Amino acid sequence: MKNRFFFSTAAALSLLCFSCTKPHTTLSEHKQAFAPPIMGWSSWNAFRVNISEDIIKRQADLLVEKGLKEAGYHYVNIDDGFFGKRDGNGVMQTNEQRFPNGMKPVADHIHRLGMKAGIYTDAGNNTCGSIWDNDTVGVGAGIYGHESQDARLYFGDWGFDFIKIDYCGGDVLGLSEKERYTSIRNSIDKVNKDVSVNICRWAFPGTWAKDVATSWRISGDINAHWNSLKYVVGKNLYLSAYAGNGHYNDMDMMVIGFRNDSKVGGKELTPTEEEAHFGLWCIMSSPLLIGCNLENLPESSLELLTNKELIALNQDALGLQAYVVQHENEGYVLVKDIEQKRGNVRAVALYNPSDTVCSFSVSFASLEFGGKVKVRDLAKHTDLGSFSDSFEQTLPAHSAMFLRMEGDTRLEPTLYEAECAYLPLFDDLGKNPKGITYAHDKEASGKMKVKFLGGQSENYAEWREVYSEKGGRYQMTIHYSHGHQRQLEVAVNGTVTRIDRLANDDNHHQLSIPVELKAGYNVVRMGNSYNWAPDIDCFTLTKAL
Ligand code: GLA
């Protein structure tokens, strides 16, 4: 937001008052309880397709014996590799060597332990294991063409509670993700509406995902190496707008507890990296699925995985994903409300993905705190004291720090970043080269902006929780670039201001318009119904005197 001249738009404004379509329901309007991210264990990272009845039952027992069930890990998920061939009627058979007694006794064992059982399929014909692990029984094991039949078997006859639906087969066939996953969900609903569905399409699939799934993978497969974690976290940094109301961005099964002989890339994480990994999965509200062989789980990893204060961030009743509030040098600061919406308590992460030390200076005003702020280190279970103005910390390479902060007062927000906005047409499938997206821009505030906005009325950016304590008149200052021959429509609670003349170049500029906010949450949308809108960096709000 620095070094930008003010581009006067007074003459360029024309005020059109018409109503937008009804804004999406805001989180605050949802009073009903919803399930937190699932916690449990999954077979893929440690065993790949080499699973068996004995292995799954033993891992389920170990969840109980090691106190992991007690800590909240309730799902035992069987990944790729359980199937045999289909019979002449298309009925799925289980793998005779790996599961000689079929799948029901395995699900029953898990249920008897008071836990939930998960299973796996592919949205196409063939599973990923049949392609990448040469597991030929995975050919034809996908659910495509067998949706009702498999749903009855998995959730009716066998009684599974969760399913992960991969996409290797779907990819090969070039199927439509939205159509396939919606159709599968409908088949499952006919058997059991409570089944938790996970979409495994290795990218944010689109805003339709929340209508069919509890969680969706946002990245390719993880392995036990810092660069892999950094990649997964990087893919999720700007997706907080899509999590909520019991639906979550899935950062993949965790790689905590692996030691050098592991199958996950043959690597292992340092204790500091493991702590950053776990804390980030917690504060970003990812499902927490342990991926290692519990038989060999080191004590220090067990202690981390059962850290109550970190788990509480993940299972918090508000169900929110932390968003990036600061990105300076190599460091990121993430924050989210916990316990109470817009209360005085927030969870904060300082995250240093880089290979060198990183110094953080986080102003309390940017975290919306006034007065003194009490700070607690959640990983170390230690109160750090009470601070004024800012929190300073230097972190080593590949690390993160997780804090609970409690301020004397909570301030009204003044800055809304484009990279935190909800984009209804956003997906990360890579099929549309000009699809709306969050983009790096080193001149932008937070070094991020939104581009490919507009062109149709549905392609907008929306901030659903623009908060004003008392309501009234504000000056909204919009920071943008690429205004050349473009226009911008700004809707505040449905009242649209159309800005016809923007700075006629691709540089960064700002413009101001007066807006009227009501007390509480307001919905702001930016876009352009007929032409490209400029790239949006952020907007600020200043109360008019
Ligand atoms: C894909 C998924 C993994 C795992 C394997 C199984 O790669 O992303 O999580 O399920 O398939 O083959």
Side-chain angles (χ1 to χ4, degrees):
M1 293 188 331
K2 289 171 201 130
N3 305 326
R4 287 176 208 153
F5 68 86
F6 182 79
F7 178 72
S8 166
T9 54
L13 290 181
S14 56
L15 214 70
L16 303 181
C17 291
F18 59 89
S19 269
C20 292
T21 49
K22 190 179 176 298
H24 293 267
T25 330
T26 61
L27 285 178
S28 55
E29 283 164 354
H30 282 269
K31 294 276 188 288
Q32 83 273 23
F34 45 76
I38 66 160
M39 296 172 66
W41 177 88
S42 180
S43 59
W44 179 253
N45 286 354
F47 297 99
R48 297 190 74 99
V49 293
N50 306 309
I51 46 177
S52 68
E53 173 171 346
D54 288 347
I55 289 176
I56 302 296
K57 284 182 171 171
R58 178 74 188 129
Q59 296 293 316
D61 294 346
L62 284 166
L63 279 176
V64 178
E65 284 166 28
K66 291 188 180 277
L68 287 157
K69 179 192 166 203
E70 175 72 25
Y73 295 90
H74 287 170
Y75 280 80
V76 180
N77 291 347
I78 301 167
D79 206 284
D80 203 342
F82 68 85
F83 23 69
K85 294 280 178 202
R86 292 182 184 275
D87 72 9
N89 297 320
V91 179
M92 176 67 79
Q93 306 297 299
T94 42
N95 189 301
E96 280 175 15
Q97 277 78 46
R98 299 173 190 162
F99 294 90
N101 302 307
M103 302 311 287
K104 189 160 169 21
V106 187
D108 288 350
H109 180 87
I110 297 166
H111 287 145
R112 266 196 304 275
L113 293 171
M115 296 192 287
K116 291 189 183 279
I119 201 159
Y120 169 94
T121 192
D122 190 288
N125 286 332
N126 305 338
T127 67
C128 293
S130 73
I131 300 172
W132 302 108
D133 287 55
N134 212 10
D135 196 33
T136 49
V137 283
V139 174
I143 202 167
Y144 194 38
H146 299 275
E147 291 173 8
S148 305
Q149 196 175 30
D150 286 2
R152 280 197 304 272
L153 182 66
Y154 298 169
F155 311 110
D157 299 354
W158 293 348
F160 280 89
D161 311 285
F162 166 97
I163 188 162
K164 166 175 166 177
I165 308 173
D166 225 332
Y167 207 69
C168 289
D171 213 18
V172 169
L173 296 177
L175 302 174
S176 147
E177 286 83 350
K178 183 178 175 182
E179 267 175 38
R180 287 307 349 122
Y181 283 104
T182 306
S183 165
I184 299 167
R185 172 85 251 181
N186 290 339
S187 302
I188 295 173
D189 280 351
K190 289 193 187 117
V191 184
N192 180 356
K193 284 189 167 29
D194 293 332
V195 169
S196 176
V197 168
N198 173 269
I199 295 175
C200 182
R201 174 50 184 83
W202 329 292
F204 177 73
T207 54
W208 53 268
K210 67 178 177 316
D211 301 326
V212 303
T214 312
S215 60
W216 44 83
R217 283 273 298 280
I218 48 93
S219 57
D221 290 4
I222 198 169
N223 64 61
H225 187 281
W226 182 256
N227 285 344
S228 172
L229 292 184
K230 186 171 147 178
Y231 150 77
V232 174
V233 175
K235 292 222 72 167
N236 202 20
L237 282 173
Y238 302 107
L239 300 182
S240 64
Y242 309 99
N245 293 326
H247 302 275
Y248 305 99
N249 293 302
D250 174 4
M251 298 164 80
D252 207 353
M253 300 157 292
M254 297 185 287
V255 284
I256 291 168
F258 284 91
R259 290 301 174 254
N260 256 336
D261 59 349
S262 106
K263 298 182 177 134
V264 188
K267 297 272 191 341
E268 66 181 52
L269 301 175
T270 67
T272 310
E273 291 172 340
E274 283 204 341
E275 187 177 294
H277 174 5
F278 188 61
L280 287 163
W281 262 236
C282 286
I283 201 167
M284 296 176 97
S285 288
S286 172
L288 296 179
L289 291 171
I290 301 170
C292 69
N293 180 350
L294 296 174
E295 205 89 64
N296 311 326
L297 181 64
E299 261 316 299
S300 59
S301 301
L302 176 62
E303 200 180 313
L304 177 65
L305 289 166
T306 52
N307 180 315
K308 285 202 170 81
E309 295 190 62
L310 290 176
I311 291 174
L313 298 185
N314 185 264
Q315 301 286 297
D316 180 74
L318 301 180
L320 301 174
Q321 175 175 327
Y323 59 91
V324 177
V325 73
Q326 180 176 312
H327 174 29
E328 279 173 14
N329 306 317
E330 298 289 322
Y332 294 84
V333 179
L334 293 98
V335 66
K336 71 171 185 175
D337 282 358
I338 47 171
E339 299 168 22
Q340 191 201 328
K341 210 55 205 302
R342 294 210 56 78
N344 289 8
V345 177
R346 308 196 84 190
V348 177
L350 312 183
Y351 167 50
N352 174 17
S354 80
D355 300 333
T356 54
V357 290
C358 180
S359 296
F360 291 82
S361 175
V362 190
S363 84
F364 290 132
S366 72
L367 299 174
E368 300 169 26
F369 286 129
K372 289 210 163 234
V373 180
K374 280 191 275 180
V375 180
R376 178 171 174 80
D377 183 331
L378 298 174
K380 307 278 181 295
H381 307 296
T382 317
D383 287 328
L384 301 180
S386 187
F387 299 81
S388 303
D389 302 323
S390 66
F391 184 75
E392 321 282 329
Q393 183 71 39
T394 298
L395 288 187
H398 303 185
S399 74
M401 189 174 197
F402 303 96
L403 306 163
R404 179 187 193 275
M405 294 198 182
E406 181 167 3
D408 285 343
T409 57
R410 179 76 185 257
L411 306 175
E412 215 172 83
T414 55
L415 171 66
Y416 293 87
E417 292 285 3
E419 58 268 28
C420 294
Y422 178 86
L423 313 176
L425 296 194
F426 173 65
D427 70 52
D428 189 29
L429 301 179
K431 294 182 179 176
N432 179 0
K434 291 203 169 165
I436 189 165
T437 191
Y438 307 97
H440 294 277
D441 180 340
K442 58 182 182 328
E443 282 181 54
S445 149
K447 300 178 197 157
M448 291 293 288
K449 66 177 178 184
V450 165
K451 69 177 185 184
F452 298 124
L453 192 64
Q456 52 175 309
S457 55
E458 295 80 16
N459 190 26
Y460 52 83
E462 182 174 81
W463 293 261
R464 296 163 164 198
E465 299 196 340
V466 174
Y467 185 76
S468 169
E469 211 155 288
K470 300 211 174 92
R473 226 166 161 66
Y474 285 75
Q475 197 65 9
M476 174 186 276
T477 301
I478 302 166
H479 297 254
Y480 70 95
S481 63
H482 295 77
H484 180 57
Q485 292 187 344
R486 296 182 183 187
Q487 305 80 31
L488 178 65
E489 290 160 6
V490 182
V492 178
N493 301 323
T495 302
V496 178
T497 302
R498 191 177 153 87
I499 301 160
D500 282 322
R501 287 214 325 267
L502 299 162
N504 207 13
D505 56 36
D506 288 344
N507 300 330
H508 284 261
H509 299 280
Q510 63 187 54
L511 63 88
S512 289
I513 56 170
V515 296
E516 188 74 30
L517 298 184
K518 59 183 189 199
Y521 291 119
N522 297 263
V523 179
V524 170
R525 283 185 185 178
M526 292 188 196
N528 185 354
S529 313
Y530 307 105
N531 184 14
W532 288 120
D535 295 354
I536 299 295
D537 169 3
C538 65
F539 69 87
T540 61
L541 288 169
T542 320
K543 186 124 199 181
L545 295 173

